[in-house]
């Protein structure tokens, strides 16, 4: 029997039972789930082991790779630029990144890029997987690339390229990388154990992943899907695990605790406030989560509704029943969500990965128990 650490306040005791059931059924190695309601942490549970050999406990200091759940953090960072008037969602990307305005991308707006409409889901032409570790090279390739479909006509999920597009827009406006801004403006001052670009001193507390044995079900394959997921160079490779953790890839390699993610998303569910500090205005939270496009995604086998960098719950219902709820999922099962109607937010992280692209069954069980 795995010992469950942490707490679940009385209205949420069913969440602890659901969390324990995931372990009892052999679905987990190590995991953590946190909920924040009206700014208060009401659930924070963790259990299991941080390594595949099960010699190191998964504890409250364990950092977990969160893959595409990082995109929600990147979306918040861009939203903060919009909130202060330094950027507008409806302005062309080329206004701040002139080189991007090539090959039919002159009119692609910031919000189109953030909602996966730019037609740049990945690279069809062969390249070395280690090229992803060269920020300027990838950005120059994206700037020169012709869209794979007419921008604005559909969404097509950008699993890795999203981070370079959003990150370069941010850097061109702010002057800092997203990882630096996250550390200096949010994580450090607010005590959030949340990183894009993990310093060497933190590597030892990172959970070790158990990869899934199969591939996700992508449905009907096409060039955007192949470029996004199915080429040997569709994701970073050819470097050490330490290089991966150290890099700043705001679409894919965030490291965090569930508590830090839940607290960040808790602000978006509660008018923008964390510990007496407003990190986003209520108007901007509504604008961030407003629908930019809805329909069958060209890369993922789902009908999706996208905000400015976040998935909206309206079409997929993976985070309760709230139609205003938004968040993001990450490869293997992690997720975050914010429900402004109920002032509720949550995050799930784990190190035994599943093949679910979104809506991991373990997280759904926890969220359904919470609701």
């Amino acid at each position: 029997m795995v010992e469950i650490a942490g707490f679940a306040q009385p209205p949420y005791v069913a969440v602890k039972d659901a969390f324990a059931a995931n372990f009892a059924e052999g679905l987990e190695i190590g995991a953590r789930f946190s909920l924040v309601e009206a700014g208060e942490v009401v659930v924070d549970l963790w259990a299991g082991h941080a390594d595949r050999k099960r010699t190191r406990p998964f504890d409250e200091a364990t950092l977990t790779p969160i893959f595409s759940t990082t995109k929600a953090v990147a979306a918040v960072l861009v939203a903060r630029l919009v909130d202060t008037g330094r950027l507008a969602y409806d302005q062309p990307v080329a206004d701040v990144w002139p080189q991007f305005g090539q090959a039919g991308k002159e009119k692609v707006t910031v919000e189109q890029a953030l909602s996966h409409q730019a037609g740049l889901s990945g690279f069809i032409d062969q390249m070395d997987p280690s090229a992803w570790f060269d920020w300027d090279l990838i950005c120059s390739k994206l700037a020169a690339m012709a869209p794979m479909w007419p921008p604005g006509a559909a969404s097509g999920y950008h699993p890795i390229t999203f981070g370079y597009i959003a990150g370069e827009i941010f850097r061109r406006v702010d002057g800092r990388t997203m990882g630096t801004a996250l550390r200096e403006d949010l994580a450090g001052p607010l005590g959030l154990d949340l990183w894009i670009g993990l310093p060497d001193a933190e590597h030892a507390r990172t959970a070790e992943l158990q990869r899934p044995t199969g591939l996700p079900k992508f449905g009907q394959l096409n060039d955007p899907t192949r470029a996004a997921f199915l080429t040997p160079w569709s994701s970073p490779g050819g470097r050490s695990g330490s290089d991966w953790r150290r890099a700043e890839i705001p679409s894919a390699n965030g490291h965090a605790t569930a508590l830090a993610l839940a607290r960040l998303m808790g602000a978006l569910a509660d008018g923008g406030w964390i510990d007496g500090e407003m990190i986003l205005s209520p108007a901007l939270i509504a604008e961030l989560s407003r629908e930019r496009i809805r329909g069958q995604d060209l890369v993922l086998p789902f009908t999706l509704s996208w905000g400015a960098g976040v998935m909206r719950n309206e079409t997929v219902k993976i985070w309760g029943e709230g139609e205003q709820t938004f968040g993001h999922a990450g490869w293997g099962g992690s997720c975050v969500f914010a429900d402004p109607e109920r002032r509720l937010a949550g995050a799930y992280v784990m190190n035994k990965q599943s093949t679910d692209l979104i809506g991991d069954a373990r997280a759904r069980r926890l969220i359904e128990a919470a609701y």
Side-chain angles (χ1 to χ4, degrees), residues 134-356:
D134 186 335
W135 182 272
D136 290 339
L137 173 62
I138 295 299
C139 288
S140 68
K141 286 173 70 68
L142 289 168
M145 183 177 169
M148 299 178 71
W149 64 88
S155 71
Y157 185 56
H158 293 41
I160 308 294
T161 55
F162 174 96
Y164 294 84
I165 298 168
E168 186 65 4
I169 290 169
F170 185 92
R171 189 183 70 83
R172 296 273 177 152
V173 174
D174 183 85
R176 297 173 295 172
T177 66
M178 277 189 163
T180 299
L182 174 63
R183 186 175 64 250
E184 294 178 351
D185 298 349
L186 294 174
L190 297 170
L192 302 178
D193 202 356
L194 172 57
W195 309 82
I196 298 174
L198 190 65
D200 288 4
E202 310 294 339
H203 289 197
R205 59 192 183 99
T206 302
E208 182 183 30
L209 298 174
Q210 179 173 303
R211 309 281 185 177
T213 55
L215 286 173
K217 295 177 181 177
F218 291 108
Q220 187 71 36
L221 297 183
N222 55 30
D223 284 345
T225 302
R226 290 186 186 93
F229 287 111
L230 299 174
T231 70
W233 56 88
S234 60
S235 60
R239 300 279 288 273
S240 72
S242 293
D243 288 334
W244 163 255
R245 290 188 287 270
R246 199 178 292 125
E248 291 189 24
I249 305 175
S251 49
N253 80 332
H255 289 74
T257 65
L259 179 61
L261 291 166
R263 289 183 61 213
L264 179 70
M265 297 302 284
L268 275 61
D270 193 32
W273 294 93
I274 298 182
D275 296 344
E277 180 173 340
M278 180 176 283
I279 65 166
L280 271 181
S281 70
L284 214 291
I285 294 169
E287 183 65 9
L288 160 67
S289 59
R290 177 177 63 80
E291 183 173 86
R292 295 334 197 271
I293 192 166
R294 175 192 299 228
Q296 175 60 52
D297 193 82
L298 296 181
V299 171
L300 296 177
F302 307 110
T303 297
L304 296 175
S305 171
W306 288 105
V310 291
M311 294 178 174
R312 303 176 73 251
N313 202 43
E314 215 168 323
T315 60
V316 285
K317 291 291 191 295
I318 55 176
W319 303 299
E321 293 297 318
E323 294 198 347
Q324 294 182 26
T325 301
F326 59 92
H328 216 289
W331 179 57
S334 67
C335 68
V336 293
F337 70 93
D339 180 349
E341 292 176 275
R342 293 166 181 79
R343 300 172 71 193
L344 185 70
Y348 167 73
V349 301
M350 76 301 125
N351 61 345
K352 184 177 182 178
Q353 295 187 296
S354 76
T355 57
D356 292 319

Side-chain angles (χ1 to χ4, degrees), residues 352-365:
K352 184 177 182 178
Q353 295 187 296
S354 76
T355 57
D356 292 319
L357 289 165
I358 58 174
D360 181 277
R362 297 164 296 179
R364 291 185 78 144
R365 170 187 260 171

